[in-house]
């Protein structure tokens, strides 16, 4: 199953990640809902809800303080660290986490949506003032329960309690997923039972679902891949699988516009859609499909700078070529085609989706310039790929939309004050 998941990660670049308490139990943080979890010992409504905060603040902070301190003292485990490494190197995408422990950030992940808040700070419920959790602990240690801000308002840890509304991160993640839908069609769930709503709705936004968890989940029947085990051990096996494909060499950052596997899965899906029409299928549709197979076969045989590429990139190019050739035989489309197929519009839609996502991201309340820069680089890399495909002269590519994007991206880069070598980025595929 690990090998299947590694292949899916390469076929669907930068899959999203959804994590629950199970990824942090190896760091010594207790689970909540599983057998023996915290909610079997402490009533969450009586002690960890907005009702408790207002009506039983002593119970809230008495039960909460030891847990808060335990969470903040925890160190990231292999699951967090490897996930952060693979995100930084372009194998995995954004992380959505139910956890409040900040261990993903400590483990190296830069792009994290904390849909249950975090325990880095506490905020006054009456004014904009916030304090660190260490400052909050000092106030409580001095006997002030509930802890008060200088203005007299109650200080509440910046976590989402039972009864709270969902934070900005939740809405931001949903909007970005929907903007990226033409491209990012896979999510990997790690250490979550998927029983909590609305968190368990995220997987329905994706075409592909993999679940890595110690026990069964509410969405096992929806998953293509299920791997049982601890998060740290599974993530070690995933990294090792990728390293083996890289001939044992350390993994490097993937080119931002490198999507040979995604192009194959895209035309494969189109082929299945066309074939499903059976009697109503037209010669024109088959010719368009054949044109795409010929285009991709030509691309993979003439991909630029193959000699200097990492072994894992060479593997994916060869693997993609083999899949395309198998599809040509499957549909008996083995001649050369010079008409225009489905790829120009489909790739154009992917690039448009990424630009919509960039515009959505820069409006997020916690927008980070470096992440915006990464999305911009992906767009430019895909534009470079689009141009290269057009230069092959096999199909007609429309540049009316694509041609406007570099200037628009340059304006965003100037506004957010990040540097971008436009021409170099467009060669990063």
């Amino acid at each position: 199953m690990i090998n299947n998941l590694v292949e899916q990660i390469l076929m669907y670049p930068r899959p999203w990640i959804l994590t629950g308490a199970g990824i942090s139990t190896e760091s010594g943080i207790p689970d909540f809902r599983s057998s023996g979890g915290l909610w079997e010992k402490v009533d969450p409504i009586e002690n960890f809800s907005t009702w408790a905060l207002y009506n039983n603040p002593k119970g809230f902070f008495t039960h909460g303080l030891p847990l808060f301190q335990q969470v903040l003292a925890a160190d990231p485990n292999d699951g967090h660290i490897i996930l952060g490494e693979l995100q930084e190197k372009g194998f995995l995408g954004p992380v959505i986490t139910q956890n409040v422990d900040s261990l993903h950030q400590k483990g190296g992940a830069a792009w994290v949506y904390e849909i249950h808040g975090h325990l880095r700070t506490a905020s006054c419920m009456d004014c904009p003032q916030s304090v660190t959790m260490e400052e909050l602990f000092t106030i409580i240690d001095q006997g002030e329960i509930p802890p008060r801000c200088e203005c007299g308002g109650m200080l509440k840890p910046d976590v989402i309690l039972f009864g709270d509304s969902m934070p900005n991160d939740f809405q931001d993640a949903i909007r970005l997923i929907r903007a990226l839908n033409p491209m990012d069609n896979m999510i990997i769930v790690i250490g979550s039972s998927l029983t909590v709503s609305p968190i368990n709705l995220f997987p329905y936004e994706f075409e592909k679902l993999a679940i890595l968890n110690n026990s069964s989940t509410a969405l096992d029947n929806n998953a293509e891949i299920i791997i049982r085990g601890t998060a740290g051990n599974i993530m070690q096996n995933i990294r090792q699988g990728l390293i083996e494909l890289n001939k044992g060499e350390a993994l490097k950052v993937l080119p931002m516009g490198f999507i040979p596997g995604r192009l194959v899965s895209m035309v494969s899906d189109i082929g299945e859609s066309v074939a499903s029409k059976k009697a109503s299928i037209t010669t024109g549709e088959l010719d368009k499909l054949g044109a795409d197979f010929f285009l991709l076969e030509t691309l993979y045989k003439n991909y630029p700078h193959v000699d200097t590429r990492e072994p894992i990139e060479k593997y994916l190019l060869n693997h993609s070529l083999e899949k395309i050739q198998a599809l040509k035989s499957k549909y008996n489309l083995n001649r050369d085609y010079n008409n225009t197929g489905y790829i120009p519009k489909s790739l154009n839609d992917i690039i448009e989706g990424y630009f919509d996502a960039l515009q959505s991201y820069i409006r997020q309340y916690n927008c980070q310039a470096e992440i915006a820069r990464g999305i911009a680089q992906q767009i430019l890399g895909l534009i470079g790929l689009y141009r290269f495909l057009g230069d092959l002269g096999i199909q007609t590519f429309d540049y009316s939309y694509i041609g406007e994007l570099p200037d628009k991206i340059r304006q965003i880069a100037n506004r957010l004050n990040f540097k971008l070598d436009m021409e170099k980025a467009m060669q990063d595929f």
Side-chain angles (χ1 to χ4, degrees):
M1 274 299 188
I2 289 291
N3 290 338
N4 289 343
L5 180 56
V6 167
E7 181 172 332
Q8 288 293 296
I9 288 171
L10 296 175
M11 296 291 285
Y12 292 87
R14 300 174 181 86
W16 283 60
I17 308 296
L18 173 61
T19 67
I23 197 172
S24 293
T25 53
E26 294 171 74
S27 294
I29 297 175
D31 199 348
F32 294 90
R33 292 174 178 82
S34 62
S35 178
L38 185 65
W39 294 160
E40 287 188 0
K41 304 170 186 176
V42 178
D43 187 321
I45 302 302
E46 289 289 331
N47 297 284
F48 287 100
S49 64
T50 53
W51 180 91
L53 184 65
Y54 286 111
N55 296 283
N56 184 22
K58 185 172 182 179
F60 177 89
F61 285 102
T62 299
H63 286 96
L65 187 61
L67 177 61
F68 299 158
Q69 292 172 325
Q70 181 181 6
V71 168
L72 289 174
D75 293 318
N77 61 56
D78 284 344
H80 302 106
I81 293 168
I82 295 171
L83 198 158
E85 174 194 348
L86 295 182
Q87 185 190 82
E88 184 270 330
K89 290 179 177 172
F91 290 93
L92 299 178
V95 176
I96 305 167
T97 186
Q98 297 171 257
N99 302 333
V100 299
D101 50 37
S102 300
L103 292 181
H104 282 303
Q105 292 92 329
K106 291 179 182 178
W111 197 349
V112 181
Y113 291 98
E114 297 169 307
I115 52 180
H116 285 166
H118 58 80
L119 277 174
R120 293 186 294 276
T121 55
S123 296
C124 178
M125 302 184 73
D126 291 344
C127 80
Q129 183 66 29
S130 67
V131 299
T132 66
M133 288 300 288
E134 289 75 13
E135 291 171 319
L136 183 76
F137 297 156
T138 298
I139 296 171
I140 294 172
D141 287 342
Q142 292 171 349
E144 189 172 343
I145 298 180
R148 298 284 179 182
C149 172
E150 292 177 354
C151 76
M154 189 190 306
L155 290 167
K156 171 186 176 291
D158 289 325
V159 295
I160 302 303
L161 304 174
F162 291 92
D164 277 336
S165 59
M166 298 304 289
N168 289 334
D169 269 20
F170 178 84
Q171 301 299 335
D172 285 344
I174 282 288
R175 280 192 290 266
L176 196 63
I177 287 167
R178 290 173 179 171
L180 284 170
N181 189 260
M183 181 66 181
D184 291 345
N185 283 335
M186 183 179 184
I187 187 167
I188 302 172
V189 176
I190 306 175
S192 174
S193 61
L194 295 171
T195 56
V196 180
S197 181
I199 309 312
N200 57 4
L201 300 179
F202 275 104
Y204 291 104
E205 299 286 336
F206 294 83
E207 178 184 327
K208 305 282 183 180
L209 169 63
I211 297 176
L212 322 180
N213 201 44
N214 252 332
S215 56
S216 60
T217 78
L219 293 185
D220 280 0
N221 290 337
N222 298 72
E224 291 193 9
I225 296 175
I226 298 174
I227 301 176
R228 297 281 182 248
T230 62
N233 184 57
I234 295 172
M235 292 305 297
Q236 285 179 338
N237 289 335
I238 291 171
R239 178 173 61 181
Q240 186 57 38
L242 290 167
I243 289 173
E244 287 174 3
L245 292 181
N246 206 38
K247 303 294 187 183
E249 298 179 17
L251 300 172
K252 295 183 180 179
V253 177
L254 284 175
M256 301 300 282
F258 187 69
I259 60 164
R262 186 68 185 98
L263 291 174
V264 171
S265 63
M266 183 173 69
V267 296
S268 177
D269 291 344
I270 293 171
E272 290 180 8
S273 176
V274 169
S276 69
K277 298 171 65 175
K278 296 181 181 177
S280 61
I281 188 171
T282 67
T283 302
E285 288 171 322
L286 281 175
D287 285 349
K288 289 177 70 175
L289 190 60
D292 285 340
F293 293 157
F294 178 52
L295 176 66
L296 291 187
E297 185 178 40
T298 306
L299 169 67
Y300 299 144
K301 287 180 176 179
N302 297 277
Y303 215 88
H305 314 300
V306 170
D307 292 343
T308 60
R309 289 185 178 273
E310 293 296 300
I312 197 168
E313 295 172 40
K314 294 179 183 178
Y315 162 81
L316 188 52
L317 287 170
N318 290 331
H319 186 61
S320 300
L321 177 59
E322 290 171 1
K323 282 184 169 289
I324 284 296
Q325 291 173 335
L327 286 169
K328 285 179 64 178
S329 297
K330 175 181 177 180
Y331 294 106
N332 194 28
L333 298 169
N334 289 304
R335 64 183 177 84
D336 295 348
Y337 293 80
N338 289 297
N339 52 308
T340 297
Y342 299 97
I343 285 178
K345 182 181 185 309
S346 296
L347 186 53
N348 193 300
D349 289 346
I350 286 173
I351 294 170
E352 184 175 359
Y354 260 120
F355 186 69
D356 289 345
L358 176 60
Q359 292 180 303
S360 175
Y361 181 77
I362 63 178
R363 291 193 293 268
Q364 293 183 5
Y365 84 102
N366 62 348
C367 169
Q368 301 176 55
E370 193 57 28
I371 291 175
R373 180 177 181 273
I375 301 173
Q377 284 186 295
Q378 289 180 23
I379 299 168
L380 292 170
L382 292 172
I383 290 173
L385 173 63
Y386 190 93
R387 289 178 174 178
F388 186 81
L389 285 167
D391 289 344
L392 292 175
I394 296 172
Q395 296 192 24
T396 301
F397 282 73
D398 180 5
Y399 294 92
S400 57
Y401 174 75
I402 298 297
E404 300 174 352
L405 290 186
D407 282 341
K408 292 181 178 179
I409 290 172
R410 186 179 289 107
Q411 292 170 14
I412 290 172
N414 291 338
R415 190 160 74 246
L416 294 184
N417 197 30
F418 62 79
K419 293 182 179 179
L420 204 55
D421 186 329
M422 307 290 287
E423 288 304 316
K424 183 178 180 181
M426 282 188 278
Q427 297 173 22
D428 196 28
F429 63 90

